[in-house]
Amino acid sequence: MLYGTVTSDGTGVQGVKITATNDSGFSGEATTDAKGAWEIKTPKSGTYTVTLDEATLPDGVALTAESGNTRTVNALLGKVRIQFPTGEGTGGGASKAEQAVQLTVDGLLLGLILALAALGVSLIYGTTGLTNFAHGELVTLGALSTYFYSAVLHLPLVISAVLALISCGILGALQDKVLWKQLRRRGTGLIAMLVVSIGLGIFIRYLFLFFFGGATQQFPEFSGQEGLELGPLAITPKAIIGAIAAIIAILASIYWLLKTRMGKASRAVADNPALASASGIDVERVINVVWILGATLAALSGILVGLTSGVSWNMGQQILLLIFAAVTVGGLGTAFGALLGSIIVGLLIQLSTLVIPPELKSVGALFILIIILLVRPQGLLGRRERIG
Amino acid sequence: MPAETTAGTRKEAAVAALSTVAHTPGSKKPDPIVVVDGMVRRFGGLTAVNVDHVEIQRGAITALIGPNGAGKTTFFNLLTGFDQPDEGDWSLNGTSLKGVAPHKVARMGMVRTFQLTKALSKLTVMDNMRLGATGQSGESFWRAALPFFWSAQEKKNTERSMELLTRFKLDAKKDDFAGEMSGGQRKLLEMARALMVGPEMVMLDEPMAGVNPALTQSLLGHIKDLREQGMTVLFVEHDMDMVRDISDWVIVMGQGQVIAEGPPDTVMADQAVIDAYLGSHHDQALTESGEAFTADQPEEQA
Amino acid sequence: MDWNTIISQTITQAVGVLAVIYCLAAVGLNVHFGYTGLLNFGQSGFLAVAAYGLAVTVANIGLSFWAGIVVGIIAAILLALLLGVPTLRLRADYLAIVTIAAAEIIRLIVRSVTFREWFGGSDGITRFADSFYALNPFSGPLALGPLKFSQNDLWVVTVGWSLVALTSLLVWSLMRSPWGRVLRGIREDEDAVRSLGKNVYAYKMQSLILGGVIGALGGFVSAIAFQSVQPDTFSTDFTFFAYTILILGGAARIFGPIVGTMIFWALLVFIGEFLSEAVSAGVITFITSTQVGQIRFMLVGLGLMMLMIFRPQGIFGDRKELALDAR
């Protein structure tokens, strides 16, 4: 028996016609199902020519140049798996265990990316009560400004990234000073501020679209980097470096939270703003520092997304829900909950593709979010609230 | 419950009934309306409430006092179903309230107010009152759209609201938004609204907090009035003069436990009670009249 | 500059098909957010399940149009129950996050290749509302001064605004009843309402269902008007625009969604048409015609922010009511 799967970007391609023939006049035909899978039963061992009808491929999906649409195989014993790579080429038939290893690494990487952004969401929520729906735009801003420094000003990528982090930190502080601080002073309600953040998000997003355009762009450097093969793992050096940068940033944030005066003050503000203020902490300054940190971390997150999947005007919006899922799973307003939640959501999304189609991986993660809220409403590390 | 007792004599009846009760924590009452057994509530590592046994006498005004952080409000939340204890059982009129939702506790006759007044700001005073009435057929979704089903009942509820508002001297404000009134008036409104539920037991969480002195006497009068109408009152209060003035019995909490019980005068002379307060207020001198106890009134929320 | 087209388009679209859809969504949100204080950010999900319920029932299962409507409404009720059970006991922001997640789940599922047999993937489903148009009493298009509708659009718009009128009347009569009083009480402080013996959870659930079903009607109008359902119609931005409309017109007001819709669409279309005309006539040279659409969205975002900061009571709202909001 001959079988295989036709996929594009990890998603099965349906309705592709495959034929198999041999010298003795056998001719078998199959059409891929919803998962892109097909099989043709062969009468006996021998040499078969397998052909994929390229006209039946949907628009936008093509076989890779090296691939070609015919295979000649020796079906000597049992089943033979045949691959027709599409797009930039897909890996061969990895076992479930090997896939799981790869997906675990991918999941951890995604978790780190989410954690960077989630930490900011959580700290800002903790200190000011704001559920910031415009946080995704801070992520986009990180990637876009890096793109600006590197592709427009032609600076080296590493320097561009550092400049981007600095400028995003400054813009974060500015956003707090110009907008949120004024709203806090006016006594604007939390729900009202939430809606304001939605408006701000829409505004900034279309501002990005206005200047950047709708296409996804790559950073000028490292875009077509070759992956390293480490046993069953394939990972690009830029992903390893990105992960190390993320881990350093997260460890530094944890150190800041636990060991520095300002970090401790931020936890005190999150715990009880009135008490913190009464005990001599400059609450507004703490909040401003939290904004700088949150915006910088979000920018780093955006740079990492940009490195792996390119830069686009709505990249932040696309991961915003996952960030919220991570924060909620961990417990709203708890920094360590946000970290834990991010890793869980990242792993869950990638590993879920072992059993569900990759296109639905976010559905799985969001569904788990709802289940966790059912079982443990305060999140994994959250505290239950007192009434009265 | 002896309904034939005439107004003004309930105080004597309550005092007389409690005269034989031992002045020890957890003592048995002749006619308890609420009985609590082994109630424990923990927040993380902190045990906020750990009440072994306590009974509350029917028809009396019982004060619940104790230093800040003694667990009084948590205890209130647990009794009224707004929070659930980790262990223990408690009952109202012999019916267990364990796991009963707060709105059902209210319907069973135990109605509470809150430390930070919860007047519904963007509803008028009259709407606040009418909201308190129970068994309204107009509150059912299927009948709500057709006034025919509920207008007669609404009229009756409005009349009853008006009577209560008049009693609480809020009748002139009936069409104002509740949010426009002063803190003290909102306290009065909250109490009047609680009465619309038709409670058997009224639970007042710091009824005097943030009330200006001019209204204090009238509020005190209203609380005493509740007893005269046959209701049981349990209230949390910091103002010792007020406690002495209106309560028939005092329960003292410290660090989540009941540490003393008795009539007001006896309790205030109790060494355990003084120690409990001193434990949290080293810097305050205790006067003989106990006035220093008034120091920790919470600030009023605007 | 063709001012006739600009004005005609502005007036027609202010009461057009899209306006009806957004208006029904906003009437539903008014029940949720305006009267009950529920932060439902998944309103597009309610429209989606209704629209797809109708389309799938008629086009794929082969039942009648009316069976499709029933299926759509049942789907909206089920969605409300599904969302409400885990979240209505939690704080407001949890409902916001879960509803937005649920709307995304629905969108991702209906656009997936995996379920293409059922929902048609990103192309959606088309042609399932012929029996609705068969009932069309109008015999020709409408051209009333600047107001121009095709024969079919005229029928959709007539039915649509009738639905808006009926639902608004229903919401009005409910909100003046004791039932509505409980909802408004919950919006102010749900613990207080609980302490008065009301089952807050049940009321919130009823509110979620009512507002969701009203939104579902918007989903039907959308499906019918275009004879097509497409997943990306029901994005989270749709919900955010409906919120903008509601806040513009004034939340917790019966006419809020209607007034908000008309102003929102009139402004949006006017600005869009004006800029497009100006660009094509060479009056404005520094932007392209695709950027005109982006400017419109930027203005929506900016408008939502400014409204919420400076006039949260809506443009015709009463400042006195706002002043009560101490926080």
Side-chain angles (χ1 to χ4, degrees), chain A residues 14 125 186-187 192 194 196 198-200 203 205-207 209-210 321 328 332 357 359 373-374 377 385 387, chain C residues 41 86 90-91 93 98 100 104 112-114 116 191 237 240 287 291 294 297-298 301 305 308-309 327:
Chain A
Q14 193 181 12
Y125 179 87
R186 285 169 72 103
L194 186 159
V196 170
I198 289 174
L200 180 68
F203 173 71
R205 202 150 62 240
Y206 284 97
L207 195 71
L209 178 60
F210 186 88
L321 261 189
T328 316
L332 276 180
E359 60 173 352
L373 285 181
L374 255 176
E385 276 187 87
I387 304 159
Chain C
F41 280 147
L90 306 177
R91 258 188 346 226
D93 31 16
V98 169
I100 207 171
E104 272 301 281
S112 71
V113 177
T114 313
R116 187 153 69 184
D191 276 336
D237 275 356
F240 293 157
I287 54 172
Q291 285 178 322
Q294 296 154 14
F297 286 120
M298 278 156 64
M305 273 175 79
M308 211 59 221
I309 295 172
R327 285 182 300 151

Side-chain angles (χ1 to χ4, degrees), chain C residues 229-250:
Chain C
V229 285
Q230 283 180 331
D232 297 335
T233 316
F234 307 106
S235 63
T236 45
D237 275 356
F238 174 92
T239 306
F240 293 157
F241 291 174
Y243 263 93
T244 310
I245 284 172
L246 178 62
I247 293 161
L248 184 70

